[in-house]
Amino acid sequence: TQSTWGLRIPLAPRLAACCGRMFCLPCLNQWQQEHTADPPCPLCRAPLKMEALQEMPLLTANVWRRIFQPCPHAQRGCAQQPKMDFMAAHIESCPCAPIQCESVGCGVVVNVEELPAHLDQCPHKVVACRLCAAGVPRQLLGTHLAECPQRLVQCSCGFEGKSINLAAHQMNDCPDAIVDCPIPSCEARFPRKDTDNHNTDAAGDHVMHLLKKLVITETKLNEAVDVLYKQQSVWHCLLPNVKQNLRRANGERIYTDVLCVRGYCFRLRLYWNGIEASKGHLSVFLCPHAGPLDDSLPWPMPFDLNITVGKQQNKCISEGFKALFLKHSPPLPNNVEGVGWDKFVTHEQLLAECRNDCLEIKVGAPLNM
């Protein structure tokens, strides 16, 4: 039979044990891949055991080695006719052996010796851009160079640089770029180089735009403050363990967390057992405290505050507290000055107002303010 390489003489002769016929070993390997693990003999169809194949007899092998045979690539231009003993080595290095171009989308088959020349011209071969080093198919290189971000470009203002930097130049520096007026509400657009002229010519309009913006902002701020006044009219504080605090009290003071009423901030300073001659009473003082809205609030504080302990004990801080706020307008951080009562409520009244050993204190402003 003819070999896989198109030779009329087997390239690597082997004898089949089933019928004694000579076959080409590469051909039998291909035959085995096309059939089962134990393929049938190509001639007698008996099971062919690959491990049972035999070498040629010595005399036959000596004759086989001396046979001259044309190269299987003769039709591709190879004129060599090596002996069968050297045929395998020649085939491996034959310059006329066919090879397929590996460039994606090409698939052209050329001789091995012609491959370098083909790759130098192959339109599908990926080559490096000389500007950015990106890999691009040769047939698309011209289009890429025309759009390459590293190509040199010139702006209308005369700036020369890489294309990748052109957008930043036009956005930040180009004197010919059309820009918007930086003044809010001014809808003028002009070349950047004319900015100073526009600011000079439109100075009056700019002042009016800014004044309108300021009025709108002030109106919104006042509306927000009004909403805050209505939403935060009363602050609640719940003090636990009243009986224990009364037993242990010995003139020391405690401060509550910062409370907020209509944007104004305070802290309560309490003495469980009074101060000096007011033992047996709960002393309560209200201390102004710095808050986040102090710069936008009216000073002094324009309303009174009521302090309620429990359900019944209600007292109003009026002129004295306003005077204290007038002294510190707005108040200082961690202010310790306060206005209140050293005898706000007796211990007996305090215990009567407790619920579950907890005392509720409320600080509120009139709801009609």
Side-chain angles (χ1 to χ4, degrees), residues 334-353:
N334 300 319
N335 182 42
V336 296
E337 295 186 78
V339 174
W341 297 265
D342 54 353
K343 296 181 178 180
F344 190 94
V345 62
T346 65
H347 285 180
E348 290 76 9
Q349 293 172 320
L350 184 114
L351 291 173
E353 295 291 342

mmCIF file of all heavy atoms in Angstrom, residues 334-353:
data_model
loop_
_atom_site.group_PDB
_atom_site.id
_atom_site.type_symbol
_atom_site.label_atom_id
_atom_site.label_comp_id
_atom_site.label_asym_id
_atom_site.label_seq_id
_atom_site.Cartn_x
_atom_site.Cartn_y
_atom_site.Cartn_z
ATOM 1 N N ASN A 334 -18.885 73.946 75.422
ATOM 2 C CA ASN A 334 -18.743 73.453 76.796
ATOM 3 C C ASN A 334 -19.008 74.553 77.826
ATOM 4 O O ASN A 334 -18.351 74.643 78.859
ATOM 5 C CB ASN A 334 -17.351 72.859 77.021
ATOM 6 C CG ASN A 334 -17.078 71.697 76.100
ATOM 7 O OD1 ASN A 334 -17.951 70.867 75.871
ATOM 8 N ND2 ASN A 334 -15.881 71.656 75.546
ATOM 9 N N ASN A 335 -19.990 75.417 77.547
ATOM 10 C CA ASN A 335 -20.333 76.491 78.478
ATOM 11 C C ASN A 335 -20.913 75.913 79.769
ATOM 12 O O ASN A 335 -21.739 75.002 79.724
ATOM 13 C CB ASN A 335 -21.357 77.420 77.802
ATOM 14 C CG ASN A 335 -21.728 78.600 78.696
ATOM 15 O OD1 ASN A 335 -20.854 79.165 79.325
ATOM 16 N ND2 ASN A 335 -22.998 78.944 78.717
ATOM 17 N N VAL A 336 -20.466 76.404 80.923
ATOM 18 C CA VAL A 336 -20.948 75.888 82.217
ATOM 19 C C VAL A 336 -21.893 76.863 82.900
ATOM 20 O O VAL A 336 -22.480 76.542 83.934
ATOM 21 C CB VAL A 336 -19.765 75.564 83.150
ATOM 22 C CG1 VAL A 336 -18.921 74.450 82.555
ATOM 23 C CG2 VAL A 336 -18.908 76.798 83.410
ATOM 24 N N GLU A 337 -22.022 78.091 82.374
ATOM 25 C CA GLU A 337 -22.958 79.036 82.972
ATOM 26 C C GLU A 337 -24.385 78.606 82.658
ATOM 27 O O GLU A 337 -24.669 78.104 81.567
ATOM 28 C CB GLU A 337 -22.714 80.439 82.425
ATOM 29 C CG GLU A 337 -21.358 81.015 82.810
ATOM 30 C CD GLU A 337 -21.232 82.459 82.375
ATOM 31 O OE1 GLU A 337 -21.800 83.322 83.068
ATOM 32 O OE2 GLU A 337 -20.590 82.699 81.345
ATOM 33 N N GLY A 338 -25.276 78.805 83.590
ATOM 34 C CA GLY A 338 -26.643 78.378 83.383
ATOM 35 C C GLY A 338 -27.618 79.186 84.219
ATOM 36 O O GLY A 338 -27.248 79.935 85.128
ATOM 37 N N VAL A 339 -28.889 79.022 83.886
ATOM 38 C CA VAL A 339 -29.975 79.678 84.612
ATOM 39 C C VAL A 339 -30.959 78.597 85.028
ATOM 40 O O VAL A 339 -31.268 77.690 84.257
ATOM 41 C CB VAL A 339 -30.670 80.717 83.712
ATOM 42 C CG1 VAL A 339 -31.888 81.292 84.420
ATOM 43 C CG2 VAL A 339 -29.705 81.822 83.338
ATOM 44 N N GLY A 340 -31.424 78.668 86.273
ATOM 45 C CA GLY A 340 -32.367 77.660 86.728
ATOM 46 C C GLY A 340 -32.748 77.859 88.184
ATOM 47 O O GLY A 340 -32.784 78.989 88.688
ATOM 48 N N TRP A 341 -33.018 76.742 88.886
ATOM 49 C CA TRP A 341 -33.528 76.783 90.248
ATOM 50 C C TRP A 341 -32.735 75.819 91.124
ATOM 51 O O TRP A 341 -32.528 74.649 90.755
ATOM 52 C CB TRP A 341 -34.997 76.361 90.274
ATOM 53 C CG TRP A 341 -35.885 77.293 89.488
ATOM 54 C CD1 TRP A 341 -36.591 78.335 89.961
ATOM 55 C CD2 TRP A 341 -36.143 77.214 88.094
ATOM 56 N NE1 TRP A 341 -37.288 78.950 88.965
ATOM 57 C CE2 TRP A 341 -37.026 78.278 87.772
ATOM 58 C CE3 TRP A 341 -35.721 76.382 87.059
ATOM 59 C CZ2 TRP A 341 -37.488 78.537 86.500
ATOM 60 C CZ3 TRP A 341 -36.189 76.630 85.784
ATOM 61 C CH2 TRP A 341 -37.050 77.694 85.505
ATOM 62 N N ASP A 342 -32.302 76.305 92.271
ATOM 63 C CA ASP A 342 -31.634 75.398 93.204
ATOM 64 C C ASP A 342 -32.665 74.563 93.971
ATOM 65 O O ASP A 342 -32.340 73.508 94.496
ATOM 66 C CB ASP A 342 -30.753 76.179 94.182
ATOM 67 C CG ASP A 342 -31.506 77.261 94.910
ATOM 68 O OD1 ASP A 342 -32.687 77.505 94.574
ATOM 69 O OD2 ASP A 342 -30.924 77.882 95.820
ATOM 70 N N LYS A 343 -33.926 75.008 94.018
ATOM 71 C CA LYS A 343 -34.995 74.231 94.652
ATOM 72 C C LYS A 343 -36.113 74.024 93.633
ATOM 73 O O LYS A 343 -37.233 74.533 93.788
ATOM 74 C CB LYS A 343 -35.531 74.950 95.896
ATOM 75 C CG LYS A 343 -34.503 75.108 97.009
ATOM 76 C CD LYS A 343 -35.112 75.797 98.224
ATOM 77 C CE LYS A 343 -34.097 75.917 99.351
ATOM 78 N NZ LYS A 343 -34.693 76.591 100.549
ATOM 79 N N PHE A 344 -35.812 73.261 92.575
ATOM 80 C CA PHE A 344 -36.801 73.052 91.521
ATOM 81 C C PHE A 344 -37.951 72.196 92.042
ATOM 82 O O PHE A 344 -39.127 72.510 91.826
ATOM 83 C CB PHE A 344 -36.152 72.371 90.315
ATOM 84 C CG PHE A 344 -37.045 72.346 89.108
ATOM 85 C CD1 PHE A 344 -36.952 73.345 88.149
ATOM 86 C CD2 PHE A 344 -37.974 71.328 88.920
ATOM 87 C CE1 PHE A 344 -37.777 73.320 87.029
ATOM 88 C CE2 PHE A 344 -38.797 71.317 87.810
ATOM 89 C CZ PHE A 344 -38.708 72.315 86.864
ATOM 90 N N VAL A 345 -37.638 71.091 92.737
ATOM 91 C CA VAL A 345 -38.663 70.202 93.255
ATOM 92 C C VAL A 345 -38.075 69.445 94.448
ATOM 93 O O VAL A 345 -36.870 69.147 94.479
ATOM 94 C CB VAL A 345 -39.131 69.227 92.155
ATOM 95 C CG1 VAL A 345 -37.997 68.336 91.678
ATOM 96 C CG2 VAL A 345 -40.300 68.394 92.618
ATOM 97 N N THR A 346 -38.907 69.167 95.472
ATOM 98 C CA THR A 346 -38.422 68.411 96.632
ATOM 99 C C THR A 346 -38.279 66.942 96.265
ATOM 100 O O THR A 346 -38.825 66.467 95.271
ATOM 101 C CB THR A 346 -39.400 68.543 97.811
ATOM 102 O OG1 THR A 346 -40.638 67.911 97.452
ATOM 103 C CG2 THR A 346 -39.651 70.005 98.141
ATOM 104 N N HIS A 347 -37.530 66.222 97.122
ATOM 105 C CA HIS A 347 -37.351 64.789 96.873
ATOM 106 C C HIS A 347 -38.689 64.050 96.939
ATOM 107 O O HIS A 347 -38.918 63.100 96.175
ATOM 108 C CB HIS A 347 -36.367 64.199 97.882
ATOM 109 C CG HIS A 347 -34.937 64.568 97.583
ATOM 110 N ND1 HIS A 347 -33.878 64.156 98.361
ATOM 111 C CD2 HIS A 347 -34.391 65.328 96.590
ATOM 112 C CE1 HIS A 347 -32.749 64.634 97.863
ATOM 113 N NE2 HIS A 347 -33.045 65.366 96.797
ATOM 114 N N GLU A 348 -39.586 64.483 97.850
ATOM 115 C CA GLU A 348 -40.883 63.822 97.964
ATOM 116 C C GLU A 348 -41.696 64.016 96.676
ATOM 117 O O GLU A 348 -42.292 63.071 96.150
ATOM 118 C CB GLU A 348 -41.665 64.389 99.157
ATOM 119 C CG GLU A 348 -41.099 64.013 100.516
ATOM 120 C CD GLU A 348 -39.848 64.814 100.879
ATOM 121 O OE1 GLU A 348 -39.536 65.784 100.141
ATOM 122 O OE2 GLU A 348 -39.170 64.462 101.870
ATOM 123 N N GLN A 349 -41.695 65.263 96.166
ATOM 124 C CA GLN A 349 -42.422 65.497 94.916
ATOM 125 C C GLN A 349 -41.766 64.743 93.754
ATOM 126 O O GLN A 349 -42.444 64.227 92.861
ATOM 127 C CB GLN A 349 -42.445 66.998 94.612
ATOM 128 C CG GLN A 349 -43.258 67.811 95.610
ATOM 129 C CD GLN A 349 -43.097 69.301 95.386
ATOM 130 O OE1 GLN A 349 -41.993 69.773 95.096
ATOM 131 N NE2 GLN A 349 -44.191 70.039 95.513
ATOM 132 N N LEU A 350 -40.443 64.671 93.785
ATOM 133 C CA LEU A 350 -39.717 63.993 92.717
ATOM 134 C C LEU A 350 -40.066 62.518 92.660
ATOM 135 O O LEU A 350 -40.326 61.951 91.600
ATOM 136 C CB LEU A 350 -38.201 64.183 92.923
ATOM 137 C CG LEU A 350 -37.321 63.609 91.818
ATOM 138 C CD1 LEU A 350 -36.613 64.731 91.088
ATOM 139 C CD2 LEU A 350 -36.280 62.692 92.441
ATOM 140 N N LEU A 351 -40.083 61.863 93.853
ATOM 141 C CA LEU A 351 -40.421 60.441 93.909
ATOM 142 C C LEU A 351 -41.859 60.203 93.483
ATOM 143 O O LEU A 351 -42.181 59.163 92.884
ATOM 144 C CB LEU A 351 -40.178 59.902 95.316
ATOM 145 C CG LEU A 351 -38.708 59.826 95.747
ATOM 146 C CD1 LEU A 351 -38.588 59.438 97.216
ATOM 147 C CD2 LEU A 351 -37.945 58.813 94.873
ATOM 148 N N ALA A 352 -42.735 61.179 93.764
ATOM 149 C CA ALA A 352 -44.124 61.027 93.368
ATOM 150 C C ALA A 352 -44.291 61.115 91.846
ATOM 151 O O ALA A 352 -45.245 60.572 91.282
ATOM 152 C CB ALA A 352 -44.976 62.105 94.050
ATOM 153 N N GLU A 353 -43.354 61.808 91.194
ATOM 154 C CA GLU A 353 -43.439 61.972 89.743
ATOM 155 C C GLU A 353 -42.759 60.834 88.975
ATOM 156 O O GLU A 353 -42.865 60.747 87.759
ATOM 157 C CB GLU A 353 -42.798 63.305 89.315
ATOM 158 C CG GLU A 353 -43.510 64.530 89.832
ATOM 159 C CD GLU A 353 -44.875 64.712 89.186
ATOM 160 O OE1 GLU A 353 -45.110 64.109 88.127
ATOM 161 O OE2 GLU A 353 -45.691 65.463 89.733
#
